């Protein structure tokens, strides 16, 4: 009899697990299917993922019960690590270098000022206790990498003067300080309050170790990818994925900031040539999308929509102050002294999207068992919804109204991949012919490229062209150039020259 009952329980448990897998896979498929709808109507796809999670949750249609804040924090942290790494892989250092200090200022000074401004508003206007006020300020102080990367790369609009690179650099590098501020404020809860000198040292340690380990481990992974000779090409993405987890965990255990480390490691690896680079970058892009979907679905499941109306008034006041006052003030002050005009500052202020990172940080107070934990979580969630809906859906309009629109750079897709098996200094690199370049209208043989450099393919519109010496350059052409190391800057300089064009 007992054996019969035991077998029934096992079957029910198995059925429950299978139902969970079926529900999760269905939600992911539905999320992907609605991507085209979100793009068509200008709704940020991350908002779609959140909404699906909410509808499937305990207050939604499917009534899936989920209230594990600690599991959500862990899932979100790993997902954010992969998203940051993928963003780093696709970050062009040549474009980042001119705006590096601007991005660092936004990621540090901007985050700190946002935290202070929001905290003061929460304390003196909304009437919160100082600890809760500064906790709310710390949680929403950073822009979200997942949201910014996603919206900028699906909005189908280009920005001039390196604004896209600046926004991506800021969002990829400002989470560490927000995490430190949040954990530091929580450290003041209870009897074990850290001293200010301890706090300053912790911030220095987290940033310095995060940067150093990101550089060292990123270079180590790059060298390892090229040195190891695997019999199966499919193992390289597995190796790269495991390396992301290794960088994250090792940096965290040593005392550095893991998010900063994985982002820097991604930049180091992405700006060098390694085995099967193009296929690995595509694989990591797919992983980043999967992580975004899973993360936002999980965050949506954790929310109880029925409790949001109770914080709606507070949430609206909080969101309006953050979006309209705190963020712009922090951006204008953080960019003081840099060559950035007021229109660019306004756009950077408006693209200060809040997303997964603040919601994940909002789960931290649950670990401290703060009585206000649930209220904090739902205020932050309301703020994220407001940010994605109001800011995320109007970014293309803001770019146009501020006159900062530029031609959208194409992301080329090639029918082949170059693998440097003999380990020579030859590499296959991608270049874009800028709009307004003096190279437009010139024949290939007139470009004066360095010796031994060969344009193997031109991606123009939706077609691939195999060039000859008589092929003319056009605005926005994406060139795939086989060239020896050391010639990259020369080619980039030739293509970026502006001036009189040769008439067709």
């Amino acid at each position: 009899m007992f054996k019969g009952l035991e077998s029934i329980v096992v079957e029910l448990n198995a059925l429950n697990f299978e139902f969970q897998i079926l529900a999760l896979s269905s939600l992911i498929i539905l999320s992907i299917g609605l991507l085209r709808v979100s793009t068509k109507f200008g709704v940020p796809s991350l908002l779609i993922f959140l909404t699906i999670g909410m509808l499937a949750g305990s207050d939604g249609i499917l009534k899936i019960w989920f209230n594990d804040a600690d599991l959500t924090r862990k899932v979100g942290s790993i997902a954010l690590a992969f998203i940051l790494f993928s963003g780093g892989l696709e970050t062009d250092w040549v474009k980042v270098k001119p705006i590096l200090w601007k991005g660092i200022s936004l990621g540090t000074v901007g985050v700190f000022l946002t935290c202070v401004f929001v905290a003061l508003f929460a304390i003196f206007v909304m009437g919160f206790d100082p600890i809760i006020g500064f906790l709310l300020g710390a949680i929403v102080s950073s822009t979200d990498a997942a949201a910014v990367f996603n919206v900028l790369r699906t909005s189908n609009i280009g920005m001039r003067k390196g604004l896209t690179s600046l926004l991506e650099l800021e969002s990829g590098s400002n989470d560490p300080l927000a995490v430190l501020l949040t954990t530091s404020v929580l450290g003041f809860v209870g009897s074990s309050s850290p001293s200010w000198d301890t706090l300053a040292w912790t911030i220095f340690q987290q940033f310095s170790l995060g940067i150093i380990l990101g550089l060292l481990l990123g270079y180590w992974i790059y060298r390892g990818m090229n040195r190891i000779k695997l019999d199966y090409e499919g193992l390289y993405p597995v190796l790269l994925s495991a390396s992301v987890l290794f960088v994250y965990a090792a940096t965290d255990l040593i005392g550095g900031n893991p998010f900063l480390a994985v982002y820097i490691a991604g930049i180091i690896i992405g700006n060098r040539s390694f085995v099967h680079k193009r296929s690995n970058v595509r694989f990591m892009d797919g992983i980043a999308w999967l992580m975004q979907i899973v993360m936002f679905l999980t965050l949506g499941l954790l929310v109880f929509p029925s409790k949001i109306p109770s914080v709606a008034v507070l949430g609206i006041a909080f969101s309006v102050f953050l979006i309209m006052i705190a963020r712009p003030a922090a951006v204008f002050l953080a960019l003081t002294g840099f060559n950035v005009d007021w229109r660019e500052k306004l756009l950077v202020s408006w693209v200060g999207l809040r997303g997964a990172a603040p919601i994940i940080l909002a789960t931290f107070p649950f670990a401290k068992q703060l009585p206000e934990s649930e209220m904090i979580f739902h205020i932050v969630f309301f703020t994220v919804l407001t940010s994605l809906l109001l800011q995320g859906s109007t970014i293309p309009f803001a770019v146009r109204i501020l006159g900062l629109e530029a031609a959208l750079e194409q992301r080329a897709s090639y029918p082949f991949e170059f693998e440097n098996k003999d380990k020579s200094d030859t590499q296959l690199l991608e270049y874009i012919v800028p709009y307004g370049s003096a190279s437009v209208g010139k024949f290939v043989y007139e470009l004066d490229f360095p010796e031994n450099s060969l344009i193997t393919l031109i991606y123009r519109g939706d077609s691939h062209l195999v060039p000859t010496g008589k092929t003319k350059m056009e605005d926005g052409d994406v060139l795939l150039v086989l060239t020896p190391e050391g010639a990259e800057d020369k080619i980039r300089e030739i293509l970026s020259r502006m001036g009189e064009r040769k008439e067709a």
Side-chain angles (χ1 to χ4, degrees):
M1 176 179 176
F2 289 107
K3 289 184 178 179
L5 289 174
E6 183 178 350
S7 64
I8 293 174
V9 171
V10 170
E11 289 177 7
L12 288 175
N13 286 335
L15 181 62
N16 184 49
F17 174 74
E18 291 167 359
F19 173 76
Q20 292 171 352
I21 296 298
L22 177 64
L24 177 61
S25 60
S26 299
L27 291 177
I28 293 174
I29 293 171
L30 178 61
S31 300
I32 295 173
L34 290 175
L35 276 177
R36 289 189 63 85
V37 177
S38 69
T39 302
K40 181 178 179 180
F41 292 100
V43 179
S45 56
L46 303 183
L47 186 60
I48 299 291
F49 305 154
L50 274 176
T51 303
I52 292 174
M54 291 167 61
L55 291 175
S58 54
D59 278 355
I61 299 173
L62 297 182
K63 304 294 182 183
I64 298 176
W65 178 263
F66 182 79
N67 67 342
D68 194 333
D70 186 58
L71 176 61
T72 302
R73 178 183 62 82
K74 292 175 181 177
V75 170
S77 297
I78 297 300
L80 193 56
F82 276 95
I83 293 167
L84 286 169
F85 183 79
S86 176
L89 276 182
E90 299 188 55
T91 298
D92 187 347
W93 175 247
V94 174
K95 296 179 181 178
V96 167
K97 189 161 56 173
I99 49 88
L100 178 62
W101 291 109
K102 298 176 189 176
I104 291 175
S105 182
L106 286 172
T108 53
V109 177
V111 169
F112 181 77
L113 291 176
T114 302
C115 172
V116 172
F117 293 152
V118 171
L120 294 177
F121 177 79
I123 295 169
F124 294 106
V125 178
M126 301 179 70
F128 284 113
D129 180 81
I131 289 291
I132 303 302
F134 274 98
L135 188 58
L136 282 168
I139 289 172
V140 300
S141 60
S142 69
T143 59
D144 183 66
V148 172
F149 288 169
N150 178 277
V151 171
L152 291 182
R153 294 176 184 181
T154 58
S155 60
N156 293 321
I157 189 167
M159 304 179 195
R160 63 182 176 89
K161 295 185 179 180
L163 285 173
T164 299
S165 298
L166 176 61
L167 290 164
E168 291 187 349
L169 176 62
E170 179 203 7
S171 65
S173 60
N174 64 9
D175 287 331
L177 184 56
V179 174
L180 282 174
L181 290 172
T182 301
T183 54
S184 300
V185 173
L186 285 172
F188 283 95
V189 177
S191 57
S192 58
S193 297
S195 61
W196 289 107
D197 57 338
T198 301
L199 176 59
W201 171 251
T202 301
I203 292 175
F204 173 77
Q205 173 183 296
Q206 288 260 321
F207 269 84
S208 58
L209 287 178
I211 293 171
I212 293 171
L213 289 171
L215 292 171
L216 291 178
L217 293 176
Y219 182 75
W220 174 74
I221 294 168
Y222 150 71
R223 295 287 293 178
M225 292 285 289
N226 281 337
R227 285 181 177 273
I228 192 170
K229 296 181 179 179
L230 300 174
D231 294 330
Y232 301 99
E233 181 181 342
L235 288 176
Y236 285 97
V238 178
L239 177 61
L240 192 59
S241 300
S243 299
V244 176
L245 296 175
F246 180 86
V247 173
Y248 176 88
T251 306
D252 194 39
L253 288 172
I254 293 174
N257 191 281
F259 299 111
L260 185 59
V262 295
Y263 181 64
I264 292 176
I267 293 177
I268 295 297
I269 299 169
N271 283 272
R272 294 176 178 270
S273 297
F274 60 92
V275 178
H276 303 301
K277 178 177 179 178
R278 194 169 300 278
S279 59
N280 276 284
V281 170
R282 284 197 299 265
F283 175 83
M284 294 308 301
D285 185 52
I287 290 294
W289 270 105
L290 176 62
M291 290 298 174
Q292 288 182 52
I293 295 172
V294 171
M295 178 171 60
F296 277 83
L297 286 177
T298 304
L299 293 171
L301 287 172
L302 187 64
V303 174
F304 288 81
S306 59
K307 297 181 181 179
I308 292 181
S310 63
V311 298
V313 175
L314 291 175
I316 291 173
F318 188 81
S319 303
V320 169
F321 181 82
L322 171 64
I323 295 171
M324 301 296 183
I325 299 176
R327 167 69 177 176
V331 167
F332 272 73
L333 289 172
L335 293 179
T336 299
F338 293 101
N339 184 26
V340 183
D341 67 39
W342 65 271
R343 293 178 302 160
E344 294 170 341
K345 291 178 181 177
L346 278 180
L347 184 62
V348 172
S349 301
W350 193 248
V351 190
L353 300 176
R354 269 59 190 176
I359 301 177
I360 293 169
L361 292 178
T363 63
F364 284 24
F366 286 103
K368 277 284 186 178
Q369 298 182 343
L370 289 181
E372 301 88 353
S373 297
E374 193 171 293
M375 178 197 65
I376 292 172
F377 181 83
H378 284 93
I379 287 178
V380 171
F381 190 86
F382 187 93
T383 302
V384 169
L385 287 179
T386 304
S387 177
L388 290 176
L389 187 59
L390 177 61
Q391 296 172 281
S393 60
T394 57
I395 286 176
F397 174 75
V399 173
R400 295 188 186 99
I401 201 70
L402 290 171
L404 297 173
E405 186 177 8
L408 183 66
E409 292 185 354
Q410 302 180 69
R411 299 182 67 188
S413 175
Y414 304 116
F416 63 88
E417 180 177 359
F418 172 73
E419 183 180 352
N420 190 358
K421 291 185 177 181
D422 59 1
K423 307 304 178 192
S424 69
D425 65 350
T426 304
Q427 53 191 338
L428 191 66
L429 300 176
E430 178 183 297
Y431 297 92
I432 297 175
V433 179
Y435 286 75
S437 171
S439 299
V440 174
K442 288 186 176 181
F443 294 112
V444 167
Y445 74 84
E446 296 178 305
L447 292 177
D448 194 28
F449 274 10
E451 189 177 356
N452 298 328
S453 295
L454 175 68
I455 302 177
T456 61
L457 196 70
I458 297 178
Y459 183 81
R460 180 177 294 166
D462 295 324
S463 61
H464 301 100
L465 306 177
V466 178
T468 67
K470 287 289 188 178
T471 302
K472 285 186 178 181
M473 295 294 99
E474 293 186 7
D475 285 310
D477 277 353
V478 182
L479 313 181
L480 206 59
V481 183
L482 194 63
T483 182
E485 287 187 13
E488 308 98 298
D489 292 339
K490 177 66 175 176
I491 296 174
R492 191 173 287 109
E493 178 188 347
I494 292 171
L495 295 176
S496 61
R497 288 173 187 161
M498 299 295 169
E500 293 185 5
R501 303 180 175 189
K502 180 173 180 177
E503 295 299 327

